[in-house]
């Protein structure tokens, strides 16, 4: 299950209506930005739970979560046959750094790519929180994030 941490990545996921299983907020945390996230989550039907800050630290792997974590629903990859007819595909033979993959995803989308093919052995997969945080993607005319079809292949 992907984990998003921090106000901006969580806000992007909520605004883009990404499927989220729940929103975790540190007990005692507050402020208008956190309240906006709580309101967005409740309007989207995403359960909101208040947890001790050390529990969020463990889930996020650090204390740099700004008091909020979203537990994302697992994403399905597109099958190769679904994207094979695209005029432009980006094929990667390996990904070492999530920042690089985020940049590749944004660039591929800007170039009009129909999909990105990554190997199953890639250290970082597009559904992982680090990549969502650094590469949230492009937006359409309405401001919604536009996901690319991504396949982890052989």
């Amino acid at each position: 299950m992907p984990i998003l941490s921090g106000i901006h990545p969580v806000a992007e996921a909520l605004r883009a209506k990404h499927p989220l299983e729940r929103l975790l907020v540190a007990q005692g945390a507050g402020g208008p930005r956190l309240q906006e996230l709580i309101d967005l989550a409740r309007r989207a039907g995403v359960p909101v739970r208040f947890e001790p800050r050390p529990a969020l630290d463990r889930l996020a792997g650090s204390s740099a979560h700004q008091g909020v974590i979203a537990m994302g629903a697992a994403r399905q990859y597109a099958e190769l046959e679904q994207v094979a007819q695209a005029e432009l595909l980006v094929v990667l033979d390996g990904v070492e750094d999530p920042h690089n993959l985020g940049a590749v995803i944004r660039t591929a989308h800007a170039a009009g790519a129909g999909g990105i093919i990554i190997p199953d052995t890639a250290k970082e997969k597009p559904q992982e929180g680090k990549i969502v945080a650094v590469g949230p993607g492009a937006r359409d005319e309405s401001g919604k994030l536009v996901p690319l079809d991504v396949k982890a292949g052989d």
Side-chain angles (χ1 to χ4, degrees):
M1 171 182 330
I3 295 174
L4 296 173
S5 62
I7 290 172
H8 293 293
V10 171
E12 289 291 333
L14 286 166
R15 288 186 188 112
K17 300 189 182 344
H18 286 292
L20 298 175
E21 290 190 8
R22 64 185 171 274
L23 182 73
L24 304 176
V25 178
Q27 292 173 342
R33 295 189 310 170
L34 277 178
Q35 188 58 52
E36 179 186 357
L37 294 180
I38 292 167
D39 294 343
L40 283 169
R42 288 184 173 150
R43 280 195 298 272
V46 176
V48 178
R49 291 189 0 209
F50 296 88
E51 299 283 338
R53 189 170 289 275
L56 273 69
D57 295 348
R58 281 190 302 278
L59 282 169
S62 78
S63 61
H65 47 68
Q66 298 177 305
V68 64
I69 291 178
M71 307 294 285
R75 293 186 187 165
Q76 286 291 98
Y77 288 110
E79 291 299 322
L80 184 57
E81 294 77 27
Q82 293 174 284
V83 296
Q85 300 304 316
E87 289 184 28
L88 176 62
L89 286 175
V90 176
V91 180
L92 304 176
D93 67 350
V95 178
E96 296 293 324
D97 180 357
H99 289 85
N100 293 341
L101 183 56
V104 169
I105 290 170
R106 289 189 304 275
T107 302
H109 184 269
I116 300 170
I117 300 171
I118 62 172
D120 282 335
T121 58
K123 287 185 179 179
E124 302 288 345
K125 297 279 193 314
Q127 80 273 17
E128 295 182 7
K130 286 187 235 171
I131 294 166
V132 174
V134 299
R139 296 178 180 274
D140 65 14
E141 302 79 39
S142 69
K144 291 183 181 176
L145 292 175
V146 180
L148 285 175
D149 289 327
V150 180
K151 168 68 177 156
D154 301 314

